[in-house]
Amino acid sequence: MRSPTRRGFLGLGAGLALAATLSGCVGTGTAATRATDSSVVIGLSAAVNTLDPMNTTSVGSDLSVLSSVYSSLVTRRPDLTIGPDAATSWDRVEPDRWRFRLNEKAAFADGTPLDADVVVWNVERLTDQDNGLRMTSNFASLLRAEKVDDHTVDLVTDGPDADLLGALSFLYLLSPDWTEDHDPATATMGSGPYEITDYAAGGNVELRARDDYWGTAPDIDRVTYRITPSEAARVSGLLSGELDVVAGLDPQDLERLRTDRALEVQQSDTTRMAFIKLNTLKGPMKDVRVRRAVNYAVDKESIATSLLGGTVAPSPGQLLTSDYAGYSDDTSGYPYDPEKAEELLAEAGYGSGNPLRVELTVPSGQYVAGDLIAQAVTQQLSEVGVRARINSVPFTVYMQKYLVDQDMSDMQYITQAWPTLAAGGLYNLFVSDSPYAYWKDAEFTDAVTRARTETDQDERDALYADAAERARAQAPVLFLFPQPGIAASSDGLDWQARPDDWVRPAEMSWKGND
Amino acid sequence: MLRFVLRRLGLTLVAVWGALSAVFLVLHSSGNPAVMMAPVGASEEQIAALGRALGYDRPLAEQYVTFFGDALRGQFPDSLTFQQPALTVVTDRLPATLTLAATALVLACVVAAAVGLWSGAGVLRGRRPGAAREWPMGLVFLAQSVPGFFIGVLLVWIFGVRLQWLPTSGASGAGALVLPAITLACGVVPPLARVFRNSLTGELARPYTRTGLALGMRRGRVLRHAAHGSMLPTVTVLGLEAGALLGGTVIVENVFSWPGVGQLVITALQNEDYPLVLADLTFLITAFVVVNLVVDLLYGVLDPRVRHSNGGH
């Protein structure tokens, strides 16, 4: 009997069998096999958007990939100190002039030497406002580069700039000749340890170690960056052994990852600080007593424990995390003290008959646990009689109100970081004339402005300490905690996760494989 | 016939234009992408300058006219994030999505046909509906009541993490296609199988079936005639579901990190990359209406009555 029924089933069966055979052939590769051929697979949460290192400030994706392909004058090492890359040494010959001696072996993949002319051209490209490059705003004080000889170059700043070296670790050098007939947004030719062998816009990226690299050859030969935007995909990729390294994981997945013995989970503070900005320019938050009251009313410790898995500790009343140059060791945070909060609110004229009503805006889905943290804060505020209403909006709407319309609500959840880890950079978001600030404080602004150009290290630290103390006392924000950084990697991989988001294959090696 | 085709084509263009206009207006009223593009610490002037350079300071009506003028000539502005022509970025991703969608569609058709015929053959034998004939249909109902992303996560958990038979994400090799294609097909099989089974049962209850059997025709042959008769409603649903399947790629591609246009549109939305969102949706919307157009035209082939009623007067 020729029954179509049976034929249908046979067809289905054959299809499944075929699929199974195919999948058996491709094999997914495990950490063990990758150790022997010294390759790693890194899961990225965001696609690599551009290959032009001067036109992106995304450390976790674009720049992490490009830092393997290009070299910079100096680099920030895993311990966050500044070390040499294309420049072997440097010193400040005048307050506003730094001199860099270049490594004479440094060269691009096509053999072009990386010399003083290359640096001069790159600085010109960067500082030319007409190029509209996104990296330019990190180099506000950089005026020009001057060639001293083939392997020596001076960088001249507009007044002394203590943060220049940190910024220079972000300046990846292109080859002037090569860019004449190539678009650096879609192709690469660098002087770094790796070259890109495969890239499609938004797709996976493959790297191979260069045979002729002039510096120390990396241990890992082949790198695959897999674009995995969903957190669930990153976690299952790690658990199944398809991904060797993922940084920037959600604290919610901590337990699941920890119980897997093939994974090593690392947790640290990131350099991104979470807080609730208070609009000191209008409404109830103009009153410093109210700003202090909300700081006392929130139990930062319990929020960090319950929502962030206890991965971070409350900030000691500072806008910076401890990794910034200019972090002050002397401030102390606002303790959880609801009675004190109620007292301050009463002084400011609020009480049960006249409750304080505020709006708390949070960009939905934008920040790690942001929506939950906003809810917890609202709940705790209500216990001291503050009626906070959550306004959850898309990130674009939020940014439009915050920056363009200059119409921030009374309170707003935000996390901020300055990639070059300069206190001056992050503090600049709080000076009087910044559209980010919503706080006009002459004392704070003065300390920060002076610190930026102060050449004496101790003096500068003292000024930043003044600024930190002023910010703590005036409370332009409700201080919370640093955003937690959770990274997981194959147990066999030797790699130290960094607080500043860089994921660099040159810093990895397989254990027992050297 | 020509007038029928032209009329459908005209309606298709109107549908694309309407859907794109809606997307355009919603996107452009949600904010200025220059705010998102400007680096942290940018001054108001810098943001304003960036907005001007990108043309987002112009009146909405003007931007709208420019966009459609360009789109009609097949031109889209450069993607803001990738700094390449937006259409190129989309077409680069197209093969991945088409492979996934086609595999899922074929898989869905095979499964739906099998389930429908299995159930229908039982009716033909005059048996009471029993567990043996009905369990595939039960599975289909179950699949329909579970959201697609959940099935995806479940499959990843079982076959990717626990058994480690298949990759959990990415598009390297044929093995990577299996789980996303099954997940995507899961959304299409239930409506398809149900409509096919029901209309097949209806056909089998009609007099010609009895006549055929009475004349000694083999059951398989009767079933084939009945299946042909039930094609019209099935193809209608297939067309609608093929469109839904394209929409489903947005979710499935994200669950499995499948590098297609569905994943791209989410990334583009997150990055406020308006030109890319519009180029991507232009493709998805066009594909949706074209699939429906093809189904409309297929009616004419499958059922001459449609052709005559439209073309006759």
Side-chain angles (χ1 to χ4, degrees), chain B residues 27-43:
Chain B
L27 266 187
H28 284 71
S29 57
S30 72
N32 179 349
V35 189
M36 311 293 294
M37 283 190 71
V40 179
S43 64

Side-chain angles (χ1 to χ4, degrees), chain B residues 299-313:
Chain B
Y299 285 165
V301 178
L302 288 172
D303 186 353
R305 286 171 300 183
V306 177
R307 203 160 53 214
H308 295 314
S309 69
N310 280 283
H313 42 85

Side-chain angles (χ1 to χ4, degrees), chain B residues 5 12 27 30 37 61 106-107 115 139 141 173 188 215 224 226 242 244 252 264 275 277 298 308 310:
Chain B
V5 173
T12 301
L27 266 187
S30 72
M37 283 190 71
V106 169
L107 189 64
V115 171
L139 268 185
F141 281 121
V188 183
L215 288 175
R224 208 159 72 216
V252 172
L264 188 66
V277 173
L298 265 182
H308 295 314
N310 280 283

Side-chain angles (χ1 to χ4, degrees), chain B residues 48-80:
Chain B
L50 191 58
R52 265 195 308 281
L54 298 169
Y56 290 107
D57 60 327
R58 295 174 300 156
L60 194 59
E62 193 188 325
Q63 293 186 45
Y64 178 82
V65 170
T66 316
F67 169 74
F68 272 96
D70 288 348
L72 276 179
R73 282 178 280 126
Q75 286 176 352
F76 289 87
D78 279 6
S79 152
L80 302 181

Side-chain angles (χ1 to χ4, degrees), chain A residues 215-490:
Chain A
T216 314
D219 284 332
I220 303 293
D221 288 333
R222 282 177 180 278
V223 185
T224 303
Y225 292 93
R226 196 180 285 177
I227 310 303
T228 43
S230 102
E231 170 82 9
R234 288 195 290 279
V235 172
S236 19
L238 280 167
L239 294 176
S240 68
E242 283 166 70
L243 301 177
D244 299 312
V245 176
V246 176
L249 290 156
D250 196 299
Q252 308 277 340
D253 292 311
L254 207 52
E255 281 315 307
R256 245 172 102 195
L257 295 167
R258 274 197 189 127
T259 50
D260 192 295
R261 273 182 299 169
L263 290 176
E264 188 186 339
V265 180
Q266 303 182 50
Q267 63 179 68
S268 60
D269 293 357
T270 61
T271 56
R272 182 167 282 278
M273 187 58 99
F275 40 78
I276 290 173
K277 270 191 88 69
L278 307 173
N279 189 341
T280 72
L281 302 182
K282 62 171 193 192
M285 295 299 166
K286 269 171 90 168
D287 190 334
V288 68
R289 290 170 300 190
V290 178
R291 303 203 296 267
R292 288 180 186 147
V294 293
N295 267 288
Y296 282 118
V298 172
D299 185 354
K300 281 77 70 176
E301 188 82 52
S302 78
I303 295 180
T305 310
S306 55
L307 297 180
L308 300 175
T311 48
V312 287
S315 150
Q318 276 200 60
L319 303 165
L320 307 176
T321 72
S322 57
D323 290 321
Y324 285 78
Y327 174 81
S328 163
D329 294 320
D330 303 327
T331 59
S332 56
Y334 285 85
Y336 174 50
D337 189 345
E339 276 114 58
K340 178 101 182 171
E342 280 176 336
E343 234 169 75
L344 283 165
L345 285 169
E347 267 179 50
Y350 299 102
S352 49
N354 176 29
L356 170 61
R357 292 171 202 276
V358 288
E359 184 178 79
L360 166 57
T361 302
V362 56
S364 51
Q366 180 69 24
Y367 300 122
V368 175
D371 307 74
L372 295 173
I373 291 169
Q375 282 173 32
V377 167
T378 311
Q379 168 64 26
Q380 293 180 352
L381 287 178
S382 75
E383 279 162 27
V384 298
V386 178
R387 308 235 174 116
R389 192 174 68 84
I390 293 185
N391 182 23
S392 180
V393 295
F395 193 52
T396 22
V397 177
Y398 168 95
M399 289 299 274
Q400 177 83 20
K401 266 185 78 179
Y402 175 37
L403 283 181
V404 179
D405 304 343
Q406 286 293 302
D407 183 27
M408 190 181 105
S409 51
D410 306 313
M411 309 173 82
Q412 151 177 307
Y413 185 80
I414 196 166
T415 76
Q416 284 178 331
W418 193 258
T420 63
L421 303 189
L426 192 59
Y427 275 157
N428 234 8
L429 303 177
F430 290 89
V431 299
S432 299
D433 61 354
S434 165
Y436 290 79
Y438 288 85
W439 184 41
K440 294 195 188 303
D441 190 83
E443 202 175 302
F444 176 86
T445 304
D446 181 57
V448 170
T449 315
R450 280 169 48 210
R452 270 188 75 90
T453 53
E454 175 59 61
T455 46
D456 182 76
Q457 177 79 41
D458 292 338
E459 279 294 310
R460 193 166 70 233
D461 287 348
L463 284 165
Y464 278 137
D466 288 349
E469 192 45 57
R470 180 72 184 167
R472 193 240 172 238
Q474 287 296 311
V477 305
L478 197 174
F479 296 98
L480 293 173
F481 24 67
Q483 188 159 294
I486 295 164
S489 51
S490 273

